[in-house]
């Protein structure tokens, strides 16, 4: 089964002038935004840009061949992806600029963006998703009850690029994966009306939506069919706060939640391979979580987030690897959860109850369907 690495290796000789930018190209650049280009790509205010061929070569040289040290994601980005990206005729000459990478524990903020100049008159703005740090995942939880600092930064970043593009007569594409997809959608929904016409298309690749009580206007409300949502068959993250925008369901080589990894999405000659539909089991999980979340007032969501992540930090965790690295490490960190507020404890158990109930109903329905088929 082919993925974006195969796409770059097998179709990377076709330039953007020969075949227009497409959905798979969007995922390539959304995935590329997970690369740490600090000291390689110029920051806002610095002149020029660096072509991806040179950027990828420099990243490989600085990483000593182990690109995992320069990847800010749970995605399985490897040396093969970087080599194929930089070596392709399709993307090698693309210039990347205005690289931003900010993390603040105090502000509960993790934000990174970069701009790719694809061709004369066309630009792609990419927002990075969440890495493995607890501050990044804490910020994800904040999406349920507040506008985050990263969303504000994304809106300001895109507005600056749209203003510049409008003055230069360029069209702007924008996208991201996971939280990056949410940032792209929020930035478009927040952009000044006078600049929205410069947006050619926006993508959210398995990114969560926005709670209408927090952000009443959606990306789909602003740009309509120019907004594209792409989800793997098993998607929980991308179904959170889902809006009324249509979406495409694609196949993945992975199982269950591992399908969130963009390197597992399957590609054919004409684009993504479409799945038969959403995985029924993921609908149970996402439905249970959504039901549980809907029953919590914004202040309860805030309490849950603060209690949970404060407890994890008190246990010595800074990244999710600290919880998962070994049974001893997990026990040390998780033992800190014993001191969480009783109300938070009850809220977490209600989520477990929702998930268990949903799973039981799904199992009962599956048995009924089998019996009906036999009858």
């Amino acid at each position: 089964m082919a993925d974006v690495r195969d796409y770059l290796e097998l179709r990377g000789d076709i330039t953007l002038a020969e075949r227009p930018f497409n959905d798979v190209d969007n995922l390539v650049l959304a995935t590329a935004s997970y690369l740490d280009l600090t000291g390689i790509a110029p920051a806002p205010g610095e002149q020029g840009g660096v072509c991806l061929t040179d950027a990828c070569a420099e990243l490989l040289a600085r990483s000593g061949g182990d690109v995992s040290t320069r990847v800010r994601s749970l995605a399985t980005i490897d040396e093969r992806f970087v080599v194929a990206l930089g070596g392709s005729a399709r993307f090698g000459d693309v210039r990347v600029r205005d690289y931003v990478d900010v993390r603040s524990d105090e502000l509960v903020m993790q934000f990174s963006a970069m701009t790719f100049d694809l061709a004369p008159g066309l630009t792609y703005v990419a927002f990075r998703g969440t890495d493995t740090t607890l501050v990044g995942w804490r910020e994800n939880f904040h999406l349920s009850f507040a506008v985050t600092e990263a969303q504000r930064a994304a809106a300001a970043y895109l507005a600056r690029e749209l203003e510049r593009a409008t003055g230069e007569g360029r069209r702007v594409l924008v996208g991201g994966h996971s939280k990056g997809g949410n940032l792209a959608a929020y930035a478009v929904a927040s952009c000044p009306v006078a600049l929205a016409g410069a947006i050619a298309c926006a993508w959210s690749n398995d990114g969560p939506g926005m709670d209408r009580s927090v952000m009443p206007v959606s990306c789909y409300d602003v740009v309509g069919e120019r907004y594209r949502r792409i989800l793997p068959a098993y998607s929980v993250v991308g179904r959170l706060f889902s809006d009324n925008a249509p979406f495409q369901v694609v196949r993945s080589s992975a199982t269950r939640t591992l399908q969130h990894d963009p390197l597992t999405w399957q590609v054919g000659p004409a684009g993504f391979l479409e799945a038969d539909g959403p995985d029924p089991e993921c609908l149970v999980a996402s439905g249970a979580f959504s039901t549980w979340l809907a029953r919590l007032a914004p202040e309860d969501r805030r309490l849950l987030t603060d209690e949970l992540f404060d407890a994890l930090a008190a246990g010595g965790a800074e990244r999710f690897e600290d919880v998962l690295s070994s049974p001893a490490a997990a026990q040390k960190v998780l033992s800190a959860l014993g001191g969480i507020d009783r109300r938070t404890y009850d809220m977490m158990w209600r989520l477990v109850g929702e998930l268990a109930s949903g799973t039981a109903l799904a199992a009962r329905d599956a048995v009924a369907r089998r019996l009906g088929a036999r009858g």
Side-chain angles (χ1 to χ4, degrees):
M1 292 186 285
D3 55 34
V4 294
R5 289 167 294 198
D6 299 294
Y7 173 77
L8 288 169
E9 291 168 349
L10 299 176
R11 312 295 287 177
D13 60 330
I14 302 174
T15 67
L16 290 167
E18 294 170 319
R19 181 175 294 179
F21 194 89
N22 59 49
D23 289 344
V24 180
D25 295 324
N26 138 73
L27 187 67
V28 168
L29 295 185
T31 302
S33 73
Y34 284 121
L35 298 175
D36 180 2
L37 299 182
T38 303
I40 297 175
E46 297 178 356
Q47 293 298 312
V50 58
C51 70
L52 277 175
T53 293
D54 292 342
C56 290
E58 183 63 20
L59 185 142
L60 289 168
R62 295 189 182 193
S63 66
D66 180 12
V67 298
S68 64
T69 62
R70 304 284 298 208
V71 173
R72 302 294 176 254
S73 170
L74 287 168
T76 53
I77 299 171
D78 55 12
E79 181 180 352
R80 182 184 165 202
F81 173 82
V82 178
V83 170
L85 177 66
S88 68
R90 193 162 181 82
F91 293 106
D93 291 336
V94 168
R95 302 189 74 79
V96 57
R97 59 175 169 83
D98 292 350
Y99 178 77
V100 175
D101 190 0
V102 178
R103 178 186 141 178
S104 171
D105 291 357
E106 182 180 352
L107 296 175
V108 189
M109 176 185 182
Q110 178 193 73
F111 174 71
S112 181
M114 58 190 76
T115 297
F116 298 93
D117 287 328
L118 304 173
L122 189 64
T123 289
Y124 183 97
V125 173
F127 294 108
R128 182 185 292 170
T130 305
D131 65 10
T132 62
T133 61
L134 288 185
V135 66
W137 284 89
R138 185 173 192 152
E139 186 178 45
N140 282 349
F141 276 59
H142 278 211
L143 294 173
S144 69
F145 59 80
V147 173
T148 68
E149 292 298 325
Q151 287 175 325
R152 293 188 179 94
Y157 186 102
L158 181 62
R160 287 192 300 270
E161 182 53 42
L162 288 174
E163 187 172 8
R164 177 177 174 179
T166 299
E168 297 174 356
R170 283 186 291 107
R171 300 280 280 166
V172 175
L173 309 170
V174 56
H177 170 260
S178 192
K179 187 189 79 173
N182 172 276
L183 296 182
Y186 179 86
V188 170
S190 305
C191 78
V193 175
L195 300 177
I199 300 171
C201 195
W203 285 268
S204 177
N205 302 288
D206 206 23
M210 295 171 284
D211 191 328
R212 287 280 186 168
S213 67
V214 177
M215 181 60 177
V217 178
S218 74
C219 182
Y220 189 62
D221 294 334
V222 174
V223 296
E225 297 302 320
R226 288 178 285 157
Y227 175 44
R228 297 184 56 78
R229 293 180 62 218
I230 304 174
L231 309 177
Y234 196 104
S235 170
V236 175
V237 172
R239 291 182 175 277
L240 291 176
F241 304 117
S242 182
D243 54 28
N244 59 343
F247 56 87
Q248 179 184 16
V249 181
V250 302
R251 296 184 195 176
S252 166
S253 61
T255 59
R256 297 173 61 85
T257 56
L258 294 178
Q259 293 188 21
H260 185 57
D261 183 346
L263 273 296
T264 71
W265 296 8
Q266 298 301 284
V267 181
F272 287 117
L273 297 180
E274 292 201 18
D276 293 334
D279 186 307
E281 189 177 352
C282 94
L283 295 180
V284 171
S286 62
F289 193 84
S290 295
T291 298
W292 171 78
L293 205 55
R295 292 175 180 171
L296 297 180
E299 188 53 41
D300 286 331
R301 298 174 190 175
R302 185 189 302 274
L303 171 66
L304 173 65
T305 299
D306 290 344
E307 285 277 341
L308 177 62
F309 284 90
D310 285 349
L312 289 173
E318 293 183 0
R319 311 177 72 87
F320 271 104
E321 295 96 315
D322 298 332
V323 183
L324 304 174
S325 60
S326 69
Q331 182 58 42
K332 176 185 176 183
V333 172
L334 295 177
S335 65
L337 296 179
I340 63 175
D341 181 84
R342 178 68 194 186
R343 190 177 173 193
T344 302
Y345 181 86
D346 290 341
M347 284 189 284
M348 291 298 294
W349 269 109
R350 282 200 295 273
L351 171 60
V352 173
E354 292 283 357
L355 289 170
S357 175
T359 302
L361 287 172
R364 186 187 68 186
D365 290 344
V367 170
R369 284 195 298 273
R370 292 192 193 100
L371 292 175
R374 290 174 183 173

